[in-house]
Structures are given as structure tokens and as C-alpha cells.
Amino acid sequence: MPTPDYLPPRGSTAVFSGPWLRYQPTAGTERYLQGYVAVVLGWWNGAVELSVDAAALRAVATAFEEMAEYVGGDWRTVDIDDGVLTVARPLSLGGGVHRVEANDGRYRIGWGLPWRAVDPRRCDVIAGGT
């Protein structure tokens, strides 16, 4: 897997995306369907932990919903209900649902996924703000 465009330090704001949103419109050119403005909180098990605003969170939840529709309903893992993010935990982490409420209007995401800092010019759409 390619390395991130850059690795912003803790506390900095950058645009992040995931390899599942990457595509190649032409050979040798990589773009991302979406990018999300986020603040780097730190790292957990080698994966970045981020803070996003409600607009970015809704875009993340919508993207996960669209993936679940494409792959199959049992892939639904992320939802936002009345301002509360719910994340279905895999059985390897005990199963169940983890609830994430906003802290000063921002939500903590990461979930051990390979989020990558990307050049915003390579994103078709950018969600969220600082």
C-alpha cells in the first residue's frame, strides 16, 4: 500500500481519506472520491485517530452506508442517530455497539482503519471544516 502523502503532527488539521475511496482515472494518477477535514488526535495500534466536525461525520457515515448497500447489508458498521455516532464492533473486539457523542461539536474517529493524509487537490469532494 502506498505511503501517506504526508504525516501531519498531532494537533494539526489536514484532509484525510481512506484507500477504499481511492481510484485511478488514468494510469499513474490516484484520486479520492471524498476527503474529510480532520484534526490529528494521536495514534492507536499504529492507526491515526482523528477529530471531525458533524458535517464530516455525516459524510463518513453516508460513505459507509453506500459501501454497505453495494457490498451487502451485513456490512453496516457506522450510523449517526440524532447526533450520536454508533459503531458496530467486530466480534474480535467483543461485538456490540460503541456510541460516540460529540465533544465540543467534534467526533473521534479512526477505528483502526488506514486513514491517510492526502493532498486536498486529489479529492473530488471535501467534507468538514476546521
Side-chain angles (χ1 to χ4, degrees):
M1 177 188 310
T3 59
D5 290 347
Y6 58 98
L7 189 57
R10 184 180 307 206
S12 63
T13 301
V15 174
F16 285 81
S17 193
W20 58 93
L21 295 167
R22 183 179 61 217
Y23 70 98
Q24 288 187 324
T26 59
T29 303
E30 288 187 347
R31 292 199 51 82
Y32 294 86
L33 294 170
Q34 287 188 337
Y36 310 100
V37 176
V39 175
V40 177
L41 296 175
W43 290 264
W44 177 76
N45 276 351
V48 69
E49 293 277 299
L50 306 167
S51 171
V52 297
D53 66 12
L57 181 69
R58 280 192 297 279
V60 168
T62 298
F64 273 75
E65 176 70 20
E66 289 170 355
M67 283 189 300
E69 282 297 318
Y70 179 74
V71 175
D74 57 337
W75 278 66
R76 277 187 182 75
T77 56
V78 177
D79 194 13
I80 186 164
D81 182 25
D82 201 23
V84 177
L85 172 67
T86 57
V87 181
R89 286 186 233 165
L91 291 176
S92 63
L93 293 177
V97 174
H98 178 67
R99 295 171 48 86
V100 179
E101 296 192 34
N103 184 3
D104 289 330
R106 300 191 64 81
Y107 296 83
R108 183 182 197 107
I109 67 168
W111 314 312
L113 295 174
W115 295 101
R116 298 174 52 191
V118 297
D119 183 337
R121 296 171 296 186
R122 294 173 52 205
C123 298
D124 294 351
V125 175
I126 297 175
T130 57

